[in-house]
Amino acid sequence: MSAFTLVNHLDQGYLRDALAADARTAFTAEHKWLPPKWFYDAEGSALFTKITQLPEYYPTRRELAILRARGAEVAAATGAETLVELGSGTSDKTEWLLSELSTAGTLRTYVPVDVDAGTLTSAAHRLIATYQDLSVYAVCADFEVHLKSLVGVPPGEATGRRLVAFLGGTIGNLTPAARAAFLAGLRATMAPGDGFLLGADLVKDPRRLVAAYDDAAGVTAEFNRNVLRVLNRELRAGFEPEAFEHVAIWDEENEWIEMRLRAMRDMTVGVEDLDLAVSFAEGEEMRTEISAKFRRAGLEDELRRASFTPAAWYTDPAGDFALSLSFA
């Protein structure tokens, strides 16, 4: 019999307060920057959905192709009774894992983790309509902050072997130090034998990489500027989004894409809720995202340093994207 439970670990105003803290740090730094998680209000999420459908943006299609082709192998290797997904969003791609785990006869519980309670609820109701014996224990949380809350969920139940999925290449949004801390923190929540399925975009021709983050239709540019609209709404800032140019570059040394917003003229922007006046010189850039790209040896080394044991490496035929399966 299916069931749905939603647990919210985010206090009222948590996201707004977290945005305020990040914005204050960003705007008072020598080089301005913002974490990419603030792209994803309703408008930003809709724009990102459009991005995933663009011809230049291959990662979503490649990852889905791997899940379709190798999902049964993942299910057989993990024997997971509980699937935990970090940053689950609409859980669209996850359905391939749920289907294979259900077919294998092991799956009992799905634990999607995301910051948006509405998205979690909508996805859960869609899934329990399909999987009649699935219990969905949704957790509204910031997984970078609340990893410990995932220990032993759902509470009071034997979860059996767990598979933690972190898809979409989102791991690349973290700097190497932040990745190391995240992986170590995640490993500390897992029991021996639990699996970890990690989606990672791979190093390739820089021209293809830049094109994926600077599409001809300008959708990614609007997505990038949308973070300024979030700041305007949530912190009563006075940004003019069209006064900033979208920039995407390949950093060869760090092997990551950087997205930036470049001021097209000198300006001073008030952020009323922070009591800040933020100055931009013409041509000054604010970093809004890094998206690291990986090589197998390097990523598996990072996993080993966090005490994971890499077990399988799945790629699409073109070698554009990978799913790494490791065990705790």
Side-chain angles (χ1 to χ4, degrees), residues 49-71:
T49 297
K50 290 183 180 179
I51 289 170
T52 65
Q53 299 165 356
L54 294 169
E56 298 97 330
Y57 194 82
Y58 59 85
T60 302
R61 291 189 294 275
R62 297 293 191 265
E63 185 174 47
L64 183 55
I66 299 168
L67 287 168
R68 285 172 171 166
R70 313 303 284 271

Side-chain angles (χ1 to χ4, degrees), residues 257-325:
I257 286 284
E258 283 197 13
M259 290 207 318
R260 304 172 181 173
L261 289 169
R262 178 185 294 154
M264 298 171 68
R265 54 178 171 79
D266 293 346
M267 67 185 85
T268 299
V269 179
V271 186
E272 189 171 342
D273 285 5
L274 301 183
D275 194 26
L276 281 179
V278 186
S279 296
F280 289 85
E282 181 179 358
E284 183 179 353
E285 295 177 345
M286 176 169 65
R287 191 180 76 189
T288 52
E289 181 179 76
I290 66 166
S291 184
K293 309 306 172 186
F294 296 92
R295 302 177 189 271
R296 179 176 183 175
L299 186 57
E300 290 187 342
D301 184 54
E302 291 188 40
L303 289 162
R304 289 189 185 96
R305 289 201 301 268
S307 298
F308 285 100
T309 300
W313 180 266
Y314 309 111
T315 64
D316 61 281
D320 282 338
F321 199 92
L323 288 177
S324 166
L325 178 62

Side-chain angles (χ1 to χ4, degrees), residues 174-182:
L174 304 177
T175 63
R179 283 201 304 272
F182 166 75

Side-chain angles (χ1 to χ4, degrees), residues 153-304:
V153 294
E157 296 185 19
T159 57
R161 294 187 71 182
R162 295 191 302 169
L163 172 62
V164 178
F166 190 27
L167 304 177
T170 307
I171 189 72
N173 294 147
L174 304 177
T175 63
R179 283 201 304 272
F182 166 75
L183 291 171
L186 175 62
R187 175 62 182 83
T189 73
M190 297 172 67
D194 285 349
F196 178 40
L197 188 67
L198 177 63
D201 197 8
L202 303 179
V203 174
K204 58 184 66 65
D205 184 339
R207 291 171 296 183
R208 289 188 61 215
L209 288 167
V210 171
Y213 292 83
D214 192 13
D215 61 278
V219 181
T220 310
E222 280 307 298
F223 175 71
N224 197 5
R225 293 188 191 100
N226 186 65
V227 74
L228 303 179
R229 299 185 180 96
V230 172
L231 292 166
N232 288 348
R233 183 182 66 246
E234 299 297 331
L235 301 180
R236 295 189 291 173
F239 285 99
E240 299 175 40
E242 299 310 316
F244 288 82
E245 179 183 9
H246 167 67
V247 178
I249 65 165
W250 171 244
D251 183 326
E252 184 72 36
E253 180 179 356
N254 290 303
E255 293 193 322
W256 66 41
I257 286 284
E258 283 197 13
M259 290 207 318
R260 304 172 181 173
L261 289 169
R262 178 185 294 154
M264 298 171 68
R265 54 178 171 79
D266 293 346
M267 67 185 85
T268 299
V269 179
V271 186
E272 189 171 342
D273 285 5
L274 301 183
D275 194 26
L276 281 179
V278 186
S279 296
F280 289 85
E282 181 179 358
E284 183 179 353
E285 295 177 345
M286 176 169 65
R287 191 180 76 189
T288 52
E289 181 179 76
I290 66 166
S291 184
K293 309 306 172 186
F294 296 92
R295 302 177 189 271
R296 179 176 183 175
L299 186 57
E300 290 187 342
D301 184 54
E302 291 188 40
L303 289 162
R304 289 189 185 96

Side-chain angles (χ1 to χ4, degrees), residues 113-181:
V113 182
D114 208 284
V115 296
D116 189 273
T119 301
L120 286 167
T121 301
S122 297
H125 287 306
R126 186 185 78 248
L127 292 171
I128 61 179
T130 302
Y131 301 97
Q132 302 299 319
D133 296 323
L134 180 68
S135 293
V136 178
Y137 186 90
V139 181
C140 190
D142 182 342
F143 64 78
E144 289 185 62
V145 177
H146 301 108
L147 275 177
K148 291 183 179 179
S149 70
L150 302 180
V151 178
V153 294
E157 296 185 19
T159 57
R161 294 187 71 182
R162 295 191 302 169
L163 172 62
V164 178
F166 190 27
L167 304 177
T170 307
I171 189 72
N173 294 147
L174 304 177
T175 63
R179 283 201 304 272

